[in-house]
mmCIF file of all heavy atoms in Angstrom:
data_model
loop_
_atom_site.group_PDB
_atom_site.id
_atom_site.type_symbol
_atom_site.label_atom_id
_atom_site.label_comp_id
_atom_site.label_asym_id
_atom_site.label_seq_id
_atom_site.Cartn_x
_atom_site.Cartn_y
_atom_site.Cartn_z
ATOM 1 N N SER Q 1 17.239 15.795 10.208
ATOM 2 C CA SER Q 1 17.011 15.365 8.829
ATOM 3 C C SER Q 1 15.614 14.777 8.627
ATOM 4 O O SER Q 1 15.216 14.528 7.484
ATOM 5 C CB SER Q 1 18.064 14.335 8.414
ATOM 6 O OG SER Q 1 18.010 13.192 9.250
ATOM 7 N N ARG Q 2 14.886 14.561 9.720
ATOM 8 C CA ARG Q 2 13.514 14.075 9.565
ATOM 9 C C ARG Q 2 12.625 15.123 8.883
ATOM 10 O O ARG Q 2 11.577 14.798 8.350
ATOM 11 C CB ARG Q 2 12.911 13.725 10.926
ATOM 12 C CG ARG Q 2 13.475 12.464 11.549
ATOM 13 C CD ARG Q 2 12.848 12.215 12.914
ATOM 14 N NE ARG Q 2 13.447 11.064 13.585
ATOM 15 C CZ ARG Q 2 13.228 10.756 14.856
ATOM 16 N NH1 ARG Q 2 12.429 11.529 15.594
ATOM 17 N NH2 ARG Q 2 13.812 9.698 15.385
ATOM 18 N N ILE Q 3 13.035 16.390 8.937
ATOM 19 C CA ILE Q 3 12.288 17.464 8.287
ATOM 20 C C ILE Q 3 13.117 18.016 7.140
ATOM 21 O O ILE Q 3 14.260 18.428 7.334
ATOM 22 C CB ILE Q 3 11.938 18.587 9.277
ATOM 23 C CG1 ILE Q 3 10.986 18.065 10.354
ATOM 24 C CG2 ILE Q 3 11.302 19.766 8.547
ATOM 25 C CD1 ILE Q 3 10.574 19.103 11.365
ATOM 26 N N MET Q 4 12.534 18.015 5.952
ATOM 27 C CA MET Q 4 13.191 18.586 4.784
ATOM 28 C C MET Q 4 12.332 19.738 4.255
ATOM 29 O O MET Q 4 11.359 19.518 3.541
ATOM 30 C CB MET Q 4 13.385 17.540 3.688
ATOM 31 C CG MET Q 4 14.124 18.085 2.459
ATOM 32 S SD MET Q 4 14.235 16.876 1.104
ATOM 33 C CE MET Q 4 15.217 15.602 1.880
ATOM 34 N N PRO Q 5 12.660 20.989 4.601
ATOM 35 C CA PRO Q 5 11.886 22.123 4.116
ATOM 36 C C PRO Q 5 12.296 22.489 2.689
ATOM 37 O O PRO Q 5 13.494 22.518 2.364
ATOM 38 C CB PRO Q 5 12.241 23.252 5.086
ATOM 39 C CG PRO Q 5 13.015 22.595 6.210
ATOM 40 C CD PRO Q 5 13.655 21.394 5.599
ATOM 41 N N VAL Q 6 11.305 22.759 1.838
ATOM 42 C CA VAL Q 6 11.549 23.047 0.426
ATOM 43 C C VAL Q 6 10.768 24.286 0.012
ATOM 44 O O VAL Q 6 9.572 24.394 0.308
ATOM 45 C CB VAL Q 6 11.123 21.857 -0.457
ATOM 46 C CG1 VAL Q 6 11.306 22.182 -1.929
ATOM 47 C CG2 VAL Q 6 11.903 20.598 -0.083
ATOM 48 N N VAL Q 7 11.441 25.221 -0.660
ATOM 49 C CA VAL Q 7 10.742 26.377 -1.231
ATOM 50 C C VAL Q 7 10.136 25.948 -2.560
ATOM 51 O O VAL Q 7 10.852 25.559 -3.481
ATOM 52 C CB VAL Q 7 11.704 27.564 -1.453
ATOM 53 C CG1 VAL Q 7 10.961 28.736 -2.109
ATOM 54 C CG2 VAL Q 7 12.334 28.010 -0.143
ATOM 55 N N ALA Q 8 8.814 25.973 -2.643
ATOM 56 C CA ALA Q 8 8.140 25.558 -3.870
ATOM 57 C C ALA Q 8 6.709 26.068 -3.873
ATOM 58 O O ALA Q 8 6.133 26.375 -2.828
ATOM 59 C CB ALA Q 8 8.152 24.029 -4.013
ATOM 60 N N ASP Q 9 6.153 26.141 -5.062
ATOM 61 C CA ASP Q 9 4.767 26.546 -5.275
ATOM 62 C C ASP Q 9 3.893 25.302 -5.228
ATOM 63 O O ASP Q 9 4.210 24.286 -5.856
ATOM 64 C CB ASP Q 9 4.656 27.234 -6.636
ATOM 65 C CG ASP Q 9 3.327 27.929 -6.852
ATOM 66 O OD1 ASP Q 9 2.300 27.440 -6.330
ATOM 67 O OD2 ASP Q 9 3.299 28.943 -7.570
ATOM 68 N N ALA Q 10 2.783 25.379 -4.493
ATOM 69 C CA ALA Q 10 1.874 24.235 -4.397
ATOM 70 C C ALA Q 10 1.303 23.844 -5.748
ATOM 71 O O ALA Q 10 0.863 22.708 -5.937
ATOM 72 C CB ALA Q 10 0.741 24.547 -3.426
ATOM 73 N N THR Q 11 1.316 24.768 -6.698
ATOM 74 C CA THR Q 11 0.778 24.475 -8.030
ATOM 75 C C THR Q 11 1.836 23.904 -8.972
ATOM 76 O O THR Q 11 1.537 23.606 -10.127
ATOM 77 C CB THR Q 11 0.167 25.743 -8.659
ATOM 78 O OG1 THR Q 11 1.202 26.705 -8.894
ATOM 79 C CG2 THR Q 11 -0.876 26.362 -7.754
ATOM 80 N N ALA Q 12 3.071 23.746 -8.478
ATOM 81 C CA ALA Q 12 4.153 23.172 -9.295
ATOM 82 C C ALA Q 12 5.137 22.459 -8.372
ATOM 83 O O ALA Q 12 6.272 22.900 -8.185
ATOM 84 C CB ALA Q 12 4.851 24.265 -10.105
ATOM 85 N N LEU Q 13 4.717 21.363 -7.799
ATOM 86 C CA LEU Q 13 5.534 20.652 -6.816
ATOM 87 C C LEU Q 13 6.739 19.975 -7.484
ATOM 88 O O LEU Q 13 6.592 19.349 -8.536
ATOM 89 C CB LEU Q 13 4.680 19.604 -6.104
ATOM 90 C CG LEU Q 13 3.525 20.161 -5.262
ATOM 91 C CD1 LEU Q 13 2.636 19.028 -4.757
ATOM 92 C CD2 LEU Q 13 4.058 20.977 -4.088
ATOM 93 N N PRO Q 14 7.915 20.080 -6.869
ATOM 94 C CA PRO Q 14 9.147 19.554 -7.479
ATOM 95 C C PRO Q 14 9.392 18.075 -7.170
ATOM 96 O O PRO Q 14 10.485 17.683 -6.762
ATOM 97 C CB PRO Q 14 10.224 20.441 -6.851
ATOM 98 C CG PRO Q 14 9.700 20.707 -5.475
ATOM 99 C CD PRO Q 14 8.205 20.833 -5.631
ATOM 100 N N PHE Q 15 8.365 17.249 -7.348
ATOM 101 C CA PHE Q 15 8.486 15.820 -7.062
ATOM 102 C C PHE Q 15 7.927 15.016 -8.225
ATOM 103 O O PHE Q 15 7.049 15.481 -8.966
ATOM 104 C CB PHE Q 15 7.722 15.462 -5.776
ATOM 105 C CG PHE Q 15 8.047 16.348 -4.611
ATOM 106 C CD1 PHE Q 15 7.119 17.259 -4.138
ATOM 107 C CD2 PHE Q 15 9.278 16.273 -3.990
ATOM 108 C CE1 PHE Q 15 7.411 18.095 -3.071
ATOM 109 C CE2 PHE Q 15 9.588 17.102 -2.916
ATOM 110 C CZ PHE Q 15 8.653 18.015 -2.458
ATOM 111 N N ARG Q 16 8.420 13.808 -8.363
ATOM 112 C CA ARG Q 16 7.956 12.939 -9.436
ATOM 113 C C ARG Q 16 6.554 12.414 -9.158
ATOM 114 O O ARG Q 16 6.083 12.392 -8.021
ATOM 115 C CB ARG Q 16 8.919 11.763 -9.608
ATOM 116 C CG ARG Q 16 10.305 12.163 -10.076
ATOM 117 C CD ARG Q 16 11.189 10.935 -10.228
ATOM 118 N NE ARG Q 16 12.549 11.306 -10.631
ATOM 119 C CZ ARG Q 16 13.534 10.446 -10.771
ATOM 120 N NH1 ARG Q 16 13.324 9.146 -10.530
ATOM 121 N NH2 ARG Q 16 14.728 10.853 -11.141
ATOM 122 N N ASP Q 17 5.900 11.951 -10.201
ATOM 123 C CA ASP Q 17 4.573 11.357 -10.077
ATOM 124 C C ASP Q 17 4.623 10.181 -9.098
ATOM 125 O O ASP Q 17 5.567 9.383 -9.109
ATOM 126 C CB ASP Q 17 4.077 10.842 -11.427
ATOM 127 C CG ASP Q 17 3.886 11.948 -12.449
ATOM 128 O OD1 ASP Q 17 4.157 13.124 -12.119
ATOM 129 O OD2 ASP Q 17 3.471 11.646 -13.579
ATOM 130 N N GLY Q 18 3.585 10.082 -8.266
ATOM 131 C CA GLY Q 18 3.451 8.923 -7.392
ATOM 132 C C GLY Q 18 4.509 8.787 -6.322
ATOM 133 O O GLY Q 18 4.858 7.677 -5.933
ATOM 134 N N THR Q 19 5.033 9.890 -5.819
ATOM 135 C CA THR Q 19 6.109 9.832 -4.823
ATOM 136 C C THR Q 19 5.597 9.531 -3.422
ATOM 137 O O THR Q 19 6.251 8.827 -2.658
ATOM 138 C CB THR Q 19 6.886 11.171 -4.796
ATOM 139 O OG1 THR Q 19 7.457 11.411 -6.079
ATOM 140 C CG2 THR Q 19 7.986 11.164 -3.747
ATOM 141 N N PHE Q 20 4.419 10.039 -3.064
ATOM 142 C CA PHE Q 20 3.985 10.027 -1.669
ATOM 143 C C PHE Q 20 2.776 9.127 -1.424
ATOM 144 O O PHE Q 20 1.881 9.009 -2.262
ATOM 145 C CB PHE Q 20 3.652 11.452 -1.204
ATOM 146 C CG PHE Q 20 4.829 12.386 -1.260
ATOM 147 C CD1 PHE Q 20 5.030 13.202 -2.367
ATOM 148 C CD2 PHE Q 20 5.744 12.424 -0.224
ATOM 149 C CE1 PHE Q 20 6.120 14.056 -2.428
ATOM 150 C CE2 PHE Q 20 6.837 13.274 -0.280
ATOM 151 C CZ PHE Q 20 7.034 14.091 -1.381
ATOM 152 N N VAL Q 21 2.751 8.552 -0.213
ATOM 153 C CA VAL Q 21 1.619 7.755 0.249
ATOM 154 C C VAL Q 21 0.725 8.588 1.161
ATOM 155 O O VAL Q 21 -0.455 8.298 1.316
ATOM 156 C CB VAL Q 21 2.111 6.496 0.989
ATOM 157 C CG1 VAL Q 21 0.965 5.725 1.628
ATOM 158 C CG2 VAL Q 21 2.865 5.586 0.022
ATOM 159 N N ARG Q 22 1.271 9.665 1.741
ATOM 160 C CA ARG Q 22 0.517 10.540 2.635
ATOM 161 C C ARG Q 22 0.834 12.000 2.334
ATOM 162 O O ARG Q 22 2.003 12.373 2.237
ATOM 163 C CB ARG Q 22 0.830 10.228 4.106
ATOM 164 C CG ARG Q 22 0.348 8.858 4.544
ATOM 165 C CD ARG Q 22 0.852 8.515 5.939
ATOM 166 N NE ARG Q 22 0.383 7.200 6.356
ATOM 167 C CZ ARG Q 22 0.976 6.062 6.045
ATOM 168 N NH1 ARG Q 22 2.085 6.084 5.290
ATOM 169 N NH2 ARG Q 22 0.491 4.905 6.454
ATOM 170 N N VAL Q 23 -0.230 12.797 2.228
ATOM 171 C CA VAL Q 23 -0.091 14.225 1.951
ATOM 172 C C VAL Q 23 -1.063 14.977 2.861
ATOM 173 O O VAL Q 23 -2.186 14.511 3.097
ATOM 174 C CB VAL Q 23 -0.419 14.563 0.485
ATOM 175 C CG1 VAL Q 23 -0.222 16.055 0.210
ATOM 176 C CG2 VAL Q 23 0.412 13.716 -0.477
ATOM 177 N N THR Q 24 -0.639 16.124 3.363
ATOM 178 C CA THR Q 24 -1.542 16.941 4.163
ATOM 179 C C THR Q 24 -1.339 18.417 3.882
ATOM 180 O O THR Q 24 -0.285 18.836 3.373
ATOM 181 C CB THR Q 24 -1.353 16.670 5.677
ATOM 182 O OG1 THR Q 24 -2.440 17.244 6.392
ATOM 183 C CG2 THR Q 24 -0.056 17.270 6.191
ATOM 184 N N SER Q 25 -2.362 19.189 4.209
ATOM 185 C CA SER Q 25 -2.287 20.647 4.157
ATOM 186 C C SER Q 25 -3.297 21.171 5.161
ATOM 187 O O SER Q 25 -4.493 20.899 5.050
ATOM 188 C CB SER Q 25 -2.595 21.172 2.753
ATOM 189 O OG SER Q 25 -2.507 22.586 2.732
ATOM 190 N N VAL Q 26 -2.810 21.906 6.165
ATOM 191 C CA VAL Q 26 -3.667 22.384 7.247
ATOM 192 C C VAL Q 26 -3.911 23.885 7.080
ATOM 193 O O VAL Q 26 -2.991 24.688 7.198
ATOM 194 C CB VAL Q 26 -3.035 22.095 8.624
ATOM 195 C CG1 VAL Q 26 -3.903 22.661 9.747
ATOM 196 C CG2 VAL Q 26 -2.832 20.596 8.804
ATOM 197 N N SER Q 27 -5.151 24.234 6.774
ATOM 198 C CA SER Q 27 -5.560 25.643 6.662
ATOM 199 C C SER Q 27 -4.589 26.460 5.814
ATOM 200 O O SER Q 27 -4.141 27.530 6.218
ATOM 201 C CB SER Q 27 -5.701 26.273 8.053
ATOM 202 O OG SER Q 27 -6.836 25.771 8.703
ATOM 203 N N ALA Q 28 -4.281 25.949 4.641
ATOM 204 C CA ALA Q 28 -3.357 26.649 3.749
ATOM 205 C C ALA Q 28 -3.922 26.838 2.348
ATOM 206 O O ALA Q 28 -3.772 27.906 1.741
ATOM 207 C CB ALA Q 28 -2.030 25.901 3.672
ATOM 208 N N LEU Q 29 -4.583 25.833 1.805
ATOM 209 C CA LEU Q 29 -4.987 25.883 0.397
ATOM 210 C C LEU Q 29 -6.108 26.879 0.119
ATOM 211 O O LEU Q 29 -6.288 27.294 -1.028
ATOM 212 C CB LEU Q 29 -5.381 24.484 -0.084
ATOM 213 C CG LEU Q 29 -4.238 23.459 -0.094
ATOM 214 C CD1 LEU Q 29 -4.738 22.103 -0.559
ATOM 215 C CD2 LEU Q 29 -3.088 23.929 -0.971
ATOM 216 N N GLU Q 30 -6.849 27.299 1.160
ATOM 217 C CA GLU Q 30 -7.869 28.327 0.931
ATOM 218 C C GLU Q 30 -7.253 29.693 0.657
ATOM 219 O O GLU Q 30 -7.940 30.624 0.257
ATOM 220 C CB GLU Q 30 -8.827 28.431 2.125
ATOM 221 C CG GLU Q 30 -8.202 28.930 3.413
ATOM 222 C CD GLU Q 30 -7.909 27.799 4.372
ATOM 223 O OE1 GLU Q 30 -7.257 26.820 3.959
ATOM 224 O OE2 GLU Q 30 -8.335 27.890 5.541
ATOM 225 N N HIS Q 31 -5.927 29.786 0.861
ATOM 226 C CA HIS Q 31 -5.220 31.033 0.580
ATOM 227 C C HIS Q 31 -4.516 31.011 -0.777
ATOM 228 O O HIS Q 31 -3.910 32.010 -1.176
ATOM 229 C CB HIS Q 31 -4.192 31.308 1.680
ATOM 230 C CG HIS Q 31 -4.758 31.259 3.064
ATOM 231 N ND1 HIS Q 31 -5.814 32.049 3.465
ATOM 232 C CD2 HIS Q 31 -4.423 30.499 4.147
ATOM 233 C CE1 HIS Q 31 -6.108 31.796 4.737
ATOM 234 N NE2 HIS Q 31 -5.277 30.843 5.165
ATOM 235 N N VAL Q 32 -4.576 29.879 -1.468
ATOM 236 C CA VAL Q 32 -3.911 29.731 -2.766
ATOM 237 C C VAL Q 32 -4.888 30.126 -3.870
ATOM 238 O O VAL Q 32 -5.952 29.517 -4.004
ATOM 239 C CB VAL Q 32 -3.446 28.277 -2.980
ATOM 240 C CG1 VAL Q 32 -2.844 28.102 -4.366
ATOM 241 C CG2 VAL Q 32 -2.437 27.883 -1.900
ATOM 242 N N PRO Q 33 -4.575 31.145 -4.668
ATOM 243 C CA PRO Q 33 -5.516 31.581 -5.714
ATOM 244 C C PRO Q 33 -5.917 30.460 -6.673
ATOM 245 O O PRO Q 33 -7.094 30.310 -6.987
ATOM 246 C CB PRO Q 33 -4.749 32.697 -6.437
ATOM 247 C CG PRO Q 33 -3.825 33.236 -5.390
ATOM 248 C CD PRO Q 33 -3.406 32.040 -4.580
ATOM 249 N N ASP Q 34 -4.947 29.662 -7.122
ATOM 250 C CA ASP Q 34 -5.250 28.581 -8.060
ATOM 251 C C ASP Q 34 -5.307 27.258 -7.291
ATOM 252 O O ASP Q 34 -4.465 26.385 -7.437
ATOM 253 C CB ASP Q 34 -4.189 28.523 -9.161
ATOM 254 C CG ASP Q 34 -4.606 27.630 -10.328
ATOM 255 O OD1 ASP Q 34 -5.685 27.003 -10.243
ATOM 256 O OD2 ASP Q 34 -3.852 27.553 -11.313
ATOM 257 N N ASP Q 35 -6.340 27.123 -6.469
ATOM 258 C CA ASP Q 35 -6.450 25.949 -5.609
ATOM 259 C C ASP Q 35 -6.636 24.660 -6.395
ATOM 260 O O ASP Q 35 -6.154 23.594 -5.988
ATOM 261 C CB ASP Q 35 -7.593 26.130 -4.611
ATOM 262 C CG ASP Q 35 -8.894 26.579 -5.268
ATOM 263 O OD1 ASP Q 35 -8.945 26.701 -6.507
ATOM 264 O OD2 ASP Q 35 -9.870 26.821 -4.540
ATOM 265 N N THR Q 36 -7.313 24.735 -7.527
ATOM 266 C CA THR Q 36 -7.539 23.531 -8.334
ATOM 267 C C THR Q 36 -6.232 22.987 -8.891
ATOM 268 O O THR Q 36 -6.014 21.764 -8.923
ATOM 269 C CB THR Q 36 -8.523 23.818 -9.473
ATOM 270 O OG1 THR Q 36 -9.757 24.273 -8.908
ATOM 271 C CG2 THR Q 36 -8.795 22.582 -10.303
ATOM 272 N N SER Q 37 -5.332 23.858 -9.318
ATOM 273 C CA SER Q 37 -4.022 23.403 -9.786
ATOM 274 C C SER Q 37 -3.228 22.770 -8.655
ATOM 275 O O SER Q 37 -2.514 21.785 -8.855
ATOM 276 C CB SER Q 37 -3.235 24.574 -10.385
ATOM 277 O OG SER Q 37 -3.818 24.996 -11.602
ATOM 278 N N ALA Q 38 -3.364 23.329 -7.445
ATOM 279 C CA ALA Q 38 -2.691 22.733 -6.295
ATOM 280 C C ALA Q 38 -3.231 21.332 -6.029
ATOM 281 O O ALA Q 38 -2.460 20.401 -5.755
ATOM 282 C CB ALA Q 38 -2.875 23.622 -5.066
ATOM 283 N N ALA Q 39 -4.552 21.174 -6.117
ATOM 284 C CA ALA Q 39 -5.147 19.846 -5.918
ATOM 285 C C ALA Q 39 -4.679 18.866 -6.988
ATOM 286 O O ALA Q 39 -4.402 17.698 -6.700
ATOM 287 C CB ALA Q 39 -6.667 19.961 -5.938
ATOM 288 N N ARG Q 40 -4.560 19.341 -8.220
ATOM 289 C CA ARG Q 40 -4.093 18.487 -9.309
ATOM 290 C C ARG Q 40 -2.655 18.023 -9.049
ATOM 291 O O ARG Q 40 -2.307 16.863 -9.291
ATOM 292 C CB ARG Q 40 -4.198 19.243 -10.629
ATOM 293 C CG ARG Q 40 -3.952 18.389 -11.870
ATOM 294 C CD ARG Q 40 -4.205 19.181 -13.134
ATOM 295 N NE ARG Q 40 -5.614 19.590 -13.234
ATOM 296 C CZ ARG Q 40 -6.052 20.848 -13.170
ATOM 297 N NH1 ARG Q 40 -5.185 21.839 -13.014
ATOM 298 N NH2 ARG Q 40 -7.333 21.118 -13.275
ATOM 299 N N GLU Q 41 -1.825 18.915 -8.530
ATOM 300 C CA GLU Q 41 -0.446 18.564 -8.208
ATOM 301 C C GLU Q 41 -0.375 17.573 -7.052
ATOM 302 O O GLU Q 41 0.437 16.643 -7.065
ATOM 303 C CB GLU Q 41 0.346 19.827 -7.858
ATOM 304 C CG GLU Q 41 0.878 20.581 -9.051
ATOM 305 C CD GLU Q 41 1.954 19.772 -9.763
ATOM 306 O OE1 GLU Q 41 3.122 19.839 -9.356
ATOM 307 O OE2 GLU Q 41 1.611 19.037 -10.712
ATOM 308 N N ILE Q 42 -1.239 17.767 -6.057
ATOM 309 C CA ILE Q 42 -1.288 16.815 -4.947
ATOM 310 C C ILE Q 42 -1.621 15.427 -5.464
ATOM 311 O O ILE Q 42 -1.006 14.427 -5.089
ATOM 312 C CB ILE Q 42 -2.315 17.277 -3.892
ATOM 313 C CG1 ILE Q 42 -1.782 18.510 -3.153
ATOM 314 C CG2 ILE Q 42 -2.625 16.150 -2.908
ATOM 315 C CD1 ILE Q 42 -2.798 19.152 -2.232
ATOM 316 N N GLY Q 43 -2.612 15.359 -6.362
ATOM 317 C CA GLY Q 43 -2.971 14.071 -6.938
ATOM 318 C C GLY Q 43 -1.855 13.479 -7.778
ATOM 319 O O GLY Q 43 -1.650 12.257 -7.774
ATOM 320 N N ARG Q 44 -1.117 14.328 -8.476
ATOM 321 C CA ARG Q 44 -0.033 13.839 -9.330
ATOM 322 C C ARG Q 44 1.079 13.199 -8.520
ATOM 323 O O ARG Q 44 1.608 12.138 -8.891
ATOM 324 C CB ARG Q 44 0.544 15.001 -10.155
ATOM 325 C CG ARG Q 44 1.683 14.581 -11.085
ATOM 326 C CD ARG Q 44 2.310 15.765 -11.795
ATOM 327 N NE ARG Q 44 2.988 16.663 -10.876
ATOM 328 C CZ ARG Q 44 4.195 16.453 -10.346
ATOM 329 N NH1 ARG Q 44 4.846 15.323 -10.625
ATOM 330 N NH2 ARG Q 44 4.746 17.331 -9.533
ATOM 331 N N VAL Q 45 1.456 13.830 -7.393
ATOM 332 C CA VAL Q 45 2.591 13.315 -6.613
ATOM 333 C C VAL Q 45 2.173 12.202 -5.650
ATOM 334 O O VAL Q 45 3.032 11.596 -5.008
ATOM 335 C CB VAL Q 45 3.303 14.440 -5.834
ATOM 336 C CG1 VAL Q 45 3.799 15.514 -6.795
ATOM 337 C CG2 VAL Q 45 2.411 15.028 -4.754
ATOM 338 N N ALA Q 46 0.859 11.940 -5.558
ATOM 339 C CA ALA Q 46 0.370 10.887 -4.668
ATOM 340 C C ALA Q 46 0.315 9.546 -5.395
ATOM 341 O O ALA Q 46 -0.067 9.472 -6.564
ATOM 342 C CB ALA Q 46 -1.019 11.242 -4.150
ATOM 343 N N GLN Q 47 0.704 8.501 -4.700
ATOM 344 C CA GLN Q 47 0.602 7.157 -5.252
ATOM 345 C C GLN Q 47 -0.858 6.709 -5.273
ATOM 346 O O GLN Q 47 -1.712 7.286 -4.596
ATOM 347 C CB GLN Q 47 1.408 6.171 -4.394
ATOM 348 C CG GLN Q 47 2.903 6.396 -4.395
ATOM 349 C CD GLN Q 47 3.632 5.375 -3.537
ATOM 350 O OE1 GLN Q 47 3.081 4.325 -3.197
ATOM 351 N NE2 GLN Q 47 4.882 5.673 -3.190
#
């Protein structure tokens, strides 16, 4: 249960605003066509 895998689009994360204190992405976002939207979502879900 320490790992919770979720099917979701990086540009539309299924989490509330300010949910996380730590976020990472390793060699993945350069493959996302709308990388700016993904970054905006990361900022939205980050405290």
Side-chain angles (χ1 to χ4, degrees):
S1 60
R2 288 178 184 169
I3 295 181
M4 182 185 297
V6 177
V7 177
D9 191 328
T11 65
L13 296 172
F15 310 109
R16 295 180 182 177
D17 296 1
T19 300
F20 298 95
V21 173
R22 294 172 180 84
V23 182
T24 193
S25 180
V26 177
S27 288
L29 295 179
E30 66 259 52
H31 308 303
V32 176
D34 193 356
D35 49 3
T36 301
S37 291
R40 189 175 296 113
E41 277 293 275
I42 289 172
R44 180 185 66 78
V45 302
Q47 294 181 17

